[in-house]
Amino acid sequence: MYASVIEELSRIGLVPVIALERVEDAVPLAQALHAGGIACAEITFRTAAAAEAIRRIANEVPEVCVGAGTVLTVQQAQLAADAGARYIVAPGFDPAIVDWCLDRRIAVFPGVATPTEISMALAKGLTTLKFFPAEEIGGTRLLKALAAPFQQVRFIPTGGINAANLATYLALPNVAACGGSWLATKALIEQGQFAEITRLSKEARVLVCEVRGESKEML
Ligand code: 3PG
């Protein structure tokens, strides 16, 4: 279960970070991402609609691997898992959330920014970690520096990533996927611009394929 989520997110190479105000937008949003070749979505607990949005995507667009983001408490992790979230993403390393997920065999990606936090995650057996906030903490330079001591770790850098700098992250061997809100911004969702979300998704997937030397025929 855990391994299959990591595999799926790594294959896609992108994790759209979503803040949804209206639950009605959840299904069209997931469909728009999917149409653009991105079969995953991290629905953040920054809005009250999060749990119900996760539930709708899990039930109505099951081909999209839905997870919960900005999970700051065990209670939110519980709400997310009950709604059908297949993974939990947190901005920082909270041992209580990590333990709760590990006990239930739910994939968890805690945020790390320092070698100490990476060591704490490794001690829990986690080797795929959110790297947050990527651009502010040193971006690709820091990721390169971390590659030598932490050879078994793969990162999901998030924070300040967009179409312009995406390729520089994806080119690093210790990057599993890149997260970000640029693929489906609050404004685009609120304005119902789902075709634009599909376009941005395709654009990013093309970059993933180009950087990895993969065929673009499936897009
Ligand atoms: C997150 O929660 O992962 C970030 O807020 C996303 O960062 P971005 O908005 O800079 O993409």
Side-chain angles (χ1 to χ4, degrees):
M1 178 74 176
Y2 199 159
S4 73
V5 169
I6 293 173
E7 227 169 77
E8 181 64 359
L9 300 186
S10 306
R11 185 191 63 75
I12 298 166
L14 300 155
V15 182
V17 176
I18 316 287
L20 272 176
E21 294 292 345
R22 295 184 302 238
V23 288
E24 297 76 42
D25 291 330
V27 166
L29 165 78
Q31 289 168 337
L33 292 168
H34 189 254
I38 301 182
C40 67
E42 175 192 324
I43 307 297
T44 61
F45 270 79
R46 289 175 205 183
T47 67
E52 182 55 23
I54 289 168
R55 190 182 315 280
R56 291 196 188 187
I57 295 171
N59 289 334
E60 296 176 44
V61 201
E63 57 275 31
V64 166
C65 183
V66 66
T70 319
V71 172
L72 296 172
T73 64
V74 168
Q75 195 203 1
Q76 286 174 332
Q78 172 94 62
L79 279 172
D82 289 349
R86 294 183 54 199
Y87 52 96
I88 302 293
V89 186
F93 184 90
D94 178 336
I97 294 173
V98 168
D99 288 344
W100 189 90
C101 292
L102 290 176
D103 284 349
R104 284 155 191 80
R105 304 183 64 76
I106 296 170
V108 59
F109 304 104
V112 296
T114 66
T116 302
E117 291 154 1
I118 296 168
S119 294
M120 289 164 69
L122 282 175
K124 299 278 185 193
L126 301 176
T127 53
T128 303
L129 307 170
K130 174 166 172 160
F131 177 77
F132 180 77
E135 279 289 279
E136 289 73 6
I137 57 179
T140 53
R141 284 188 58 204
L142 180 52
L143 284 166
K144 280 180 199 160
L146 293 168
F150 296 111
Q151 292 179 8
Q152 69 278 59
V153 178
R154 294 287 172 277
F155 296 98
I156 304 177
T158 309
I161 299 182
N162 51 50
N165 59 8
L166 175 63
T168 61
Y169 280 92
L170 289 170
L172 300 179
N174 61 348
V175 167
C178 286
S181 61
W182 89 98
L183 295 158
T185 61
K186 250 184 155 180
L188 286 176
I189 297 168
E190 275 166 22
Q191 293 158 16
Q193 296 201 44
F194 297 110
E196 177 62 6
I197 291 172
T198 297
R199 189 193 70 74
L200 289 166
S201 302
K202 271 191 189 153
E203 174 187 68
R205 279 289 294 144
V206 165
L207 265 174
V208 172
C209 292
E210 277 173 5
V211 172
R212 293 178 174 173
E214 290 169 4
S215 157
K216 281 176 262 175
E217 273 165 38
M218 296 300 286
L219 295 173

